[in-house]
Amino acid sequence: MTITLPGSDRALRPGKVLCIGKNYAKHAAEMQSAVPTEPVVFLKPATALIGDGETVVLPPMSQNVHHEVELVAVIGRGGKNIAEAEALDHVAAYAVGLDMTARDLQSKAKQKGHPWSIAKGFDTFAPLGNLAPAEAVPNPQDLHISLMVSGEKRQHGHTGAMVFRLATLIAYCSRIYTLDPGDLLYTGTPEGVGPVEDGDVLEATCTGLPSLRVTVRRD
Ligand code: MG
């Protein structure tokens, strides 16, 4: 999938899909996890990305795929060791996204101390809504974010409840990875995660952003 940054006419294929785990205390609690004292960072491959109107495909390897609705920041200006005070200047756009998770495979991986790359990385496991320019979001920590599954409200949260704020996350990630234009940062999910089934329609919304609608199909 490609994205086009606001003010640009060049389509980019995102190089990195950075994701943050357990970034809302109530979600950490529902996962029976402690609230992290440092950001929990993992990556998805770019092949997991799909756009609005596309289809999440449930893989045969998992019997329990969960939805996680998240605010996504799109990097416009890259950098390394970005200062927290300047971090939001590196964001070109925002979108609402879904961090689809094979919870059964993730639980097994956690038990064994293995990485989450399989549980989080299947094709179609990173739906991304259409982008809104960063100027449309005066404060990324003051947004309501929600998810309906086949007409039923399943998740609702407020980005003010993030454990680590977006600026902190960008600064932190940029100490590890050089950030490039088009990189995506999924900022973690509020509580209310749960399974999706063949035929479900997922509708994600976030204040000031285009909504995201995808359907679910079992492979
Ligand atoms: Mg997540």
Side-chain angles (χ1 to χ4, degrees):
M1 192 183 101
T2 59
I3 58 171
T4 303
L5 298 179
S8 163
D9 51 10
R10 197 164 62 91
L12 280 175
R13 188 177 159 91
K16 290 188 282 305
V17 182
L18 300 162
C19 303
I20 307 300
K22 302 177 210 168
N23 201 31
Y24 289 78
K26 287 182 183 167
H27 171 60
E30 74 182 347
M31 299 307 295
Q32 278 134 33
S33 273
V35 174
T37 53
E38 266 195 281
V40 175
V41 181
F42 62 95
L43 291 97
K44 290 185 189 241
T47 43
L49 288 165
I50 58 170
D52 183 47
E54 297 194 53
T55 301
V56 170
V57 179
L58 305 179
M61 284 170 74
S62 173
Q63 301 311 313
N64 190 21
V65 174
H66 277 200
H67 53 76
E68 297 189 357
V69 68
E70 312 200 354
L71 172 67
V72 182
V74 186
I75 299 297
R77 184 155 53 84
K80 177 85 181 173
N81 297 322
I82 295 167
E84 198 170 311
E86 278 138 41
L88 295 185
D89 300 340
H90 289 255
V91 177
Y94 293 93
V96 64
L98 290 165
D99 166 17
M100 302 307 297
T101 304
R103 196 69 76 198
D104 45 357
L105 303 184
Q106 187 195 33
S107 300
K108 274 188 213 157
K110 282 180 176 173
Q111 280 165 19
K112 295 179 182 172
H114 290 174
W116 301 354
S117 307
I118 297 173
K120 294 284 195 177
F122 286 97
D123 287 356
T124 76
F125 267 30
L128 181 72
N130 292 323
L131 309 189
E135 296 72 41
V137 178
N139 180 1
Q141 307 304 148
D142 187 18
L143 305 176
H144 290 277
I145 186 162
S146 18
L147 180 72
M148 308 271 286
V149 178
S150 298
E152 184 190 328
K153 187 172 264 196
R154 291 273 189 89
Q155 290 192 264
H156 178 80
H158 186 263
T159 57
M162 285 184 191
V163 177
F164 300 101
R165 299 162 69 82
L166 177 60
T168 307
L169 296 173
I170 290 170
Y172 185 87
C173 289
S174 79
R175 288 163 51 201
I176 309 162
Y177 316 104
T178 296
L179 299 186
D180 292 319
D183 283 349
L184 303 172
L185 177 60
Y186 283 63
T187 56
T189 193
E191 72 276 17
V193 303
V196 300
E197 307 291 346
D198 187 35
D200 275 340
V201 177
L202 312 184
E203 291 173 288
T205 53
C206 185
T207 317
L209 304 182
S211 59
L212 165 67
R213 188 177 189 276
V214 292
T215 52
V216 177
R217 176 172 67 72
R218 183 159 284 285
D219 191 8

